[in-house]
Short mmCIF file of all heavy atoms in Angstrom, two decimals:
data_model
loop_
_atom_site.label_atom_id
_atom_site.label_comp_id
_atom_site.label_asym_id
_atom_site.label_seq_id
_atom_site.Cartn_x
_atom_site.Cartn_y
_atom_site.Cartn_z
N LEU A 1 -114.10 -148.26 71.68
CA LEU A 1 -114.58 -146.91 71.41
C LEU A 1 -113.47 -145.89 71.60
O LEU A 1 -113.40 -144.88 70.89
CB LEU A 1 -115.77 -146.57 72.30
CG LEU A 1 -116.99 -147.48 72.17
CD1 LEU A 1 -118.11 -146.98 73.06
CD2 LEU A 1 -117.46 -147.56 70.72
N ASP A 2 -112.58 -146.12 72.56
CA ASP A 2 -111.47 -145.20 72.78
C ASP A 2 -110.58 -145.12 71.54
O ASP A 2 -110.16 -144.03 71.13
CB ASP A 2 -110.63 -145.64 73.98
CG ASP A 2 -111.39 -145.58 75.29
OD1 ASP A 2 -112.40 -144.84 75.36
OD2 ASP A 2 -110.99 -146.28 76.24
N TYR A 3 -110.30 -146.26 70.93
CA TYR A 3 -109.43 -146.29 69.77
C TYR A 3 -110.12 -145.66 68.55
O TYR A 3 -109.49 -144.93 67.77
CB TYR A 3 -109.04 -147.73 69.44
CG TYR A 3 -108.48 -148.50 70.62
CD1 TYR A 3 -108.93 -149.78 70.92
CD2 TYR A 3 -107.50 -147.95 71.44
CE1 TYR A 3 -108.43 -150.49 71.99
CE2 TYR A 3 -106.99 -148.65 72.53
CZ TYR A 3 -107.45 -149.92 72.80
OH TYR A 3 -106.96 -150.62 73.87
N ILE A 4 -111.42 -145.94 68.39
CA ILE A 4 -112.17 -145.41 67.25
C ILE A 4 -112.24 -143.90 67.29
O ILE A 4 -112.04 -143.21 66.29
CB ILE A 4 -113.57 -146.04 67.21
CG1 ILE A 4 -113.48 -147.52 66.81
CG2 ILE A 4 -114.48 -145.28 66.24
CD1 ILE A 4 -114.78 -148.27 66.94
N LYS A 5 -112.51 -143.35 68.47
CA LYS A 5 -112.66 -141.90 68.58
C LYS A 5 -111.32 -141.17 68.53
O LYS A 5 -111.23 -140.04 68.10
CB LYS A 5 -113.41 -141.55 69.88
CG LYS A 5 -114.88 -141.93 69.80
CD LYS A 5 -115.68 -141.33 70.93
CE LYS A 5 -115.75 -142.10 72.09
NZ LYS A 5 -116.67 -141.61 73.16
N ALA A 6 -110.27 -141.84 68.97
CA ALA A 6 -108.96 -141.20 69.01
C ALA A 6 -108.26 -141.17 67.66
O ALA A 6 -107.40 -140.31 67.42
CB ALA A 6 -108.07 -141.91 70.03
N ASP A 7 -108.62 -142.09 66.77
CA ASP A 7 -107.88 -142.22 65.51
C ASP A 7 -108.85 -142.34 64.34
O ASP A 7 -109.42 -143.39 64.08
CB ASP A 7 -106.95 -143.44 65.57
CG ASP A 7 -106.00 -143.53 64.38
OD1 ASP A 7 -106.06 -142.64 63.51
OD2 ASP A 7 -105.19 -144.48 64.34
N GLY A 8 -109.03 -141.24 63.62
CA GLY A 8 -109.88 -141.25 62.44
C GLY A 8 -109.13 -141.52 61.15
O GLY A 8 -109.73 -141.62 60.07
N ASN A 9 -107.81 -141.64 61.24
CA ASN A 9 -106.97 -141.90 60.07
C ASN A 9 -106.79 -143.41 59.89
O ASN A 9 -105.76 -143.97 60.24
CB ASN A 9 -105.62 -141.19 60.21
CG ASN A 9 -104.76 -141.34 58.97
OD1 ASN A 9 -105.26 -141.53 57.87
ND2 ASN A 9 -103.45 -141.27 59.16
N VAL A 10 -107.77 -144.07 59.36
CA VAL A 10 -107.77 -145.53 59.27
C VAL A 10 -106.87 -145.98 58.13
O VAL A 10 -106.93 -145.45 57.01
CB VAL A 10 -109.20 -146.06 59.03
CG1 VAL A 10 -109.20 -147.58 59.06
CG2 VAL A 10 -110.15 -145.52 60.09
N ILE A 11 -106.01 -146.96 58.43
CA ILE A 11 -105.14 -147.57 57.43
C ILE A 11 -105.75 -148.92 57.04
O ILE A 11 -106.01 -149.76 57.90
CB ILE A 11 -103.71 -147.76 57.96
CG1 ILE A 11 -103.16 -146.44 58.51
CG2 ILE A 11 -102.82 -148.34 56.87
CD1 ILE A 11 -103.06 -145.33 57.49
N PHE A 12 -105.94 -149.14 55.74
CA PHE A 12 -106.62 -150.33 55.29
C PHE A 12 -105.67 -151.39 54.75
O PHE A 12 -104.71 -151.08 54.04
CB PHE A 12 -107.63 -150.00 54.18
CG PHE A 12 -108.95 -149.50 54.68
CD1 PHE A 12 -109.26 -148.16 54.60
CD2 PHE A 12 -109.86 -150.37 55.23
CE1 PHE A 12 -110.48 -147.69 55.06
CE2 PHE A 12 -111.08 -149.91 55.70
CZ PHE A 12 -111.39 -148.57 55.61
N THR A 13 -105.97 -152.62 55.11
CA THR A 13 -105.44 -153.80 54.43
C THR A 13 -106.64 -154.59 53.96
O THR A 13 -107.55 -154.84 54.75
CB THR A 13 -104.57 -154.65 55.37
OG1 THR A 13 -103.45 -153.89 55.81
CG2 THR A 13 -104.09 -155.91 54.67
N ILE A 14 -106.67 -154.95 52.70
CA ILE A 14 -107.85 -155.60 52.14
C ILE A 14 -107.43 -156.90 51.47
O ILE A 14 -106.53 -156.92 50.65
CB ILE A 14 -108.58 -154.68 51.14
CG1 ILE A 14 -108.92 -153.36 51.81
CG2 ILE A 14 -109.85 -155.35 50.62
CD1 ILE A 14 -109.45 -152.33 50.89
N GLU A 15 -108.09 -157.97 51.82
CA GLU A 15 -107.79 -159.29 51.29
C GLU A 15 -108.95 -159.77 50.42
O GLU A 15 -110.10 -159.87 50.88
CB GLU A 15 -107.55 -160.27 52.43
CG GLU A 15 -107.06 -161.65 52.01
CD GLU A 15 -105.59 -161.70 51.64
OE1 GLU A 15 -104.92 -160.62 51.70
OE2 GLU A 15 -105.11 -162.80 51.30
N LYS A 16 -108.67 -160.02 49.17
CA LYS A 16 -109.68 -160.57 48.27
C LYS A 16 -109.91 -162.03 48.61
O LYS A 16 -108.97 -162.79 48.80
CB LYS A 16 -109.22 -160.42 46.82
CG LYS A 16 -110.29 -160.69 45.78
CD LYS A 16 -109.77 -160.35 44.40
CE LYS A 16 -110.83 -160.63 43.35
NZ LYS A 16 -110.31 -160.30 41.97
N GLN A 17 -111.18 -162.43 48.69
CA GLN A 17 -111.55 -163.79 49.08
C GLN A 17 -112.47 -164.41 48.03
O GLN A 17 -113.06 -163.71 47.20
CB GLN A 17 -112.29 -163.78 50.43
CG GLN A 17 -111.59 -163.02 51.54
CD GLN A 17 -110.51 -163.81 52.21
OE1 GLN A 17 -110.13 -164.90 51.76
NE2 GLN A 17 -109.99 -163.32 53.31
N ASP A 18 -112.61 -165.73 48.09
CA ASP A 18 -113.56 -166.40 47.20
C ASP A 18 -114.98 -165.90 47.43
O ASP A 18 -115.79 -165.86 46.52
CB ASP A 18 -113.50 -167.91 47.41
CG ASP A 18 -112.21 -168.53 46.91
OD1 ASP A 18 -111.51 -167.88 46.10
OD2 ASP A 18 -111.89 -169.65 47.36
N PHE A 19 -115.27 -165.52 48.69
CA PHE A 19 -116.63 -165.08 49.02
C PHE A 19 -116.84 -163.58 48.82
O PHE A 19 -117.96 -163.10 48.86
CB PHE A 19 -116.99 -165.45 50.46
CG PHE A 19 -116.07 -164.85 51.51
CD1 PHE A 19 -116.16 -163.52 51.89
CD2 PHE A 19 -115.12 -165.65 52.12
CE1 PHE A 19 -115.32 -162.98 52.86
CE2 PHE A 19 -114.27 -165.11 53.09
CZ PHE A 19 -114.38 -163.78 53.46
N GLY A 20 -115.75 -162.81 48.69
CA GLY A 20 -115.86 -161.36 48.57
C GLY A 20 -114.60 -160.68 49.05
O GLY A 20 -113.52 -160.85 48.47
N LEU A 21 -114.69 -159.93 50.16
CA LEU A 21 -113.56 -159.19 50.69
C LEU A 21 -113.52 -159.29 52.21
O LEU A 21 -114.57 -159.28 52.87
CB LEU A 21 -113.64 -157.71 50.33
CG LEU A 21 -113.50 -157.29 48.87
CD1 LEU A 21 -113.80 -155.80 48.73
CD2 LEU A 21 -112.12 -157.62 48.34
N THR A 22 -112.32 -159.37 52.76
CA THR A 22 -112.09 -159.15 54.18
C THR A 22 -111.38 -157.81 54.32
O THR A 22 -110.33 -157.59 53.72
CB THR A 22 -111.24 -160.27 54.81
OG1 THR A 22 -111.90 -161.53 54.62
CG2 THR A 22 -111.08 -160.02 56.31
N LEU A 23 -111.96 -156.92 55.11
CA LEU A 23 -111.47 -155.56 55.25
C LEU A 23 -110.86 -155.38 56.64
O LEU A 23 -111.55 -155.59 57.66
CB LEU A 23 -112.61 -154.55 55.08
CG LEU A 23 -113.21 -154.33 53.72
CD1 LEU A 23 -113.78 -155.57 53.09
CD2 LEU A 23 -114.35 -153.33 53.85
N PHE A 24 -109.61 -155.01 56.68
CA PHE A 24 -108.90 -154.77 57.92
C PHE A 24 -108.68 -153.27 58.07
O PHE A 24 -107.91 -152.67 57.32
CB PHE A 24 -107.55 -155.49 57.92
CG PHE A 24 -107.63 -156.97 57.70
CD1 PHE A 24 -107.69 -157.50 56.41
CD2 PHE A 24 -107.64 -157.85 58.77
CE1 PHE A 24 -107.75 -158.87 56.20
CE2 PHE A 24 -107.70 -159.23 58.58
CZ PHE A 24 -107.76 -159.73 57.29
N GLY A 25 -109.38 -152.66 59.01
CA GLY A 25 -109.20 -151.24 59.29
C GLY A 25 -108.33 -151.05 60.51
O GLY A 25 -108.72 -151.44 61.62
N ARG A 26 -107.14 -150.45 60.32
CA ARG A 26 -106.17 -150.33 61.41
C ARG A 26 -106.21 -148.95 62.04
O ARG A 26 -106.13 -147.93 61.37
CB ARG A 26 -104.76 -150.61 60.89
CG ARG A 26 -103.72 -150.80 61.99
CD ARG A 26 -102.32 -150.77 61.41
NE ARG A 26 -101.85 -149.41 61.22
CZ ARG A 26 -100.69 -149.11 60.61
NH1 ARG A 26 -99.93 -150.07 60.13
NH2 ARG A 26 -100.33 -147.84 60.49
N ARG A 27 -106.34 -148.94 63.37
CA ARG A 27 -106.22 -147.73 64.16
C ARG A 27 -105.16 -147.95 65.23
O ARG A 27 -104.87 -149.10 65.61
CB ARG A 27 -107.56 -147.36 64.81
CG ARG A 27 -108.65 -146.91 63.83
CD ARG A 27 -109.96 -146.74 64.57
NE ARG A 27 -111.00 -146.09 63.77
CZ ARG A 27 -111.80 -146.72 62.93
NH1 ARG A 27 -111.69 -148.05 62.76
NH2 ARG A 27 -112.72 -146.05 62.24
N ASN A 28 -104.60 -146.88 65.75
CA ASN A 28 -103.67 -147.00 66.86
C ASN A 28 -104.40 -147.57 68.07
O ASN A 28 -105.51 -147.15 68.40
CB ASN A 28 -103.06 -145.65 67.21
CG ASN A 28 -102.08 -145.19 66.16
OD1 ASN A 28 -101.23 -145.95 65.69
ND2 ASN A 28 -102.20 -143.91 65.76
#
């Protein structure tokens, strides 16, 4: 929760998968 509230500028890495998508949301 500390990281989520402190950093609203999420950087995304997204990996296309056979089943759909894996979404990586990066915060400090």
